[in-house]
Amino acid sequence: ACARFVRLYQIVRETENRVVMLDADSLVRADLGAALTGAGDIGLVRAAHEPPWHCYLGGFGAFRKSAASVRFLRELGALLAVNLPGGRARRYLDQLALYICARRAESQGVCIDHLPIGKFCDTLFTEDALVWSVTQNKDADSPFARYKREVLARAPASGVP
């Protein structure tokens, strides 16, 4: 899960458009582009009243190429790269690294847009959310599972004839 942030740094550095990173266990329910139109160069989902390892969710992030976003992602990737092979990989390492890098960036005057969890990383599956994310009971009969089946049923068949 952590390696994706290193790749994200590489992608954002080379891409002029906004890049959205989300968990594989997420369903996009509406146009994210319109929702992020006014967002700055770094957008993270923040749960303000949670402990550091849950404060910034690794499940959704939006980045637009700028000196600040590239520096943020480079530092994030470096922090992860030092800890992963060094045997210091722990549960929630990606979210702890986001917390550390976000706090550092904001202390240096970098603006980070705090995106609402209920809109961009909703685990309660509300109708007005743009992104539904599932963390537990992935196979349960839930609004997430039903919507996923609907999306897959509408998708064109893949494969070689």
Side-chain angles (χ1 to χ4, degrees):
C2 293
R4 64 186 167 162
F5 289 102
V6 176
R7 298 299 291 167
L8 183 61
Y9 159 70
Q10 295 167 333
I11 293 167
V12 169
R13 188 182 63 195
E14 301 300 324
T15 304
E16 296 304 322
N17 296 326
R18 184 182 308 276
V19 176
V20 172
M21 187 275 314
L22 47 93
D23 272 348
D25 293 333
S26 297
L27 293 172
V28 177
R29 298 177 34 84
D31 182 8
L32 296 176
L36 293 168
T37 298
D41 296 336
I42 303 171
L44 299 173
V45 174
R46 182 171 178 246
H49 303 294
E50 293 290 333
W53 59 91
H54 280 304
C55 189
Y56 287 96
L57 283 76
F60 187 95
F63 300 89
R64 186 173 47 216
K65 183 179 177 180
S66 69
S69 66
V70 169
R71 183 173 49 254
F72 177 86
L73 290 169
R74 183 181 60 241
E75 290 177 4
L76 179 64
L79 179 60
L80 293 168
V82 164
N83 284 281
L84 284 171
R88 292 182 297 275
R90 299 285 186 263
R91 201 168 175 181
Y92 305 116
L93 177 60
D94 57 344
Q95 293 179 179
L96 280 169
L98 282 168
Y99 176 82
I100 292 165
C101 291
R103 294 287 303 260
R104 176 181 159 99
E106 288 180 324
S107 74
Q108 296 171 344
V110 173
C111 179
I112 296 177
D113 286 337
H114 297 149
L115 305 172
I117 191 170
K119 190 172 186 178
F120 292 98
C121 201
D122 182 18
T123 58
L124 301 175
F125 316 127
T126 59
E127 285 302 315
D128 57 338
L130 299 175
V131 179
W132 281 357
S133 298
V134 65
T135 56
Q136 299 175 6
N137 301 322
K138 296 176 185 190
D139 297 323
D141 186 32
S142 66
F144 181 94
R146 289 189 293 276
Y147 186 68
K148 180 179 174 182
R149 284 192 299 271
E150 289 174 28
V151 169
L152 292 174
R154 290 191 311 257
S158 62
V160 178

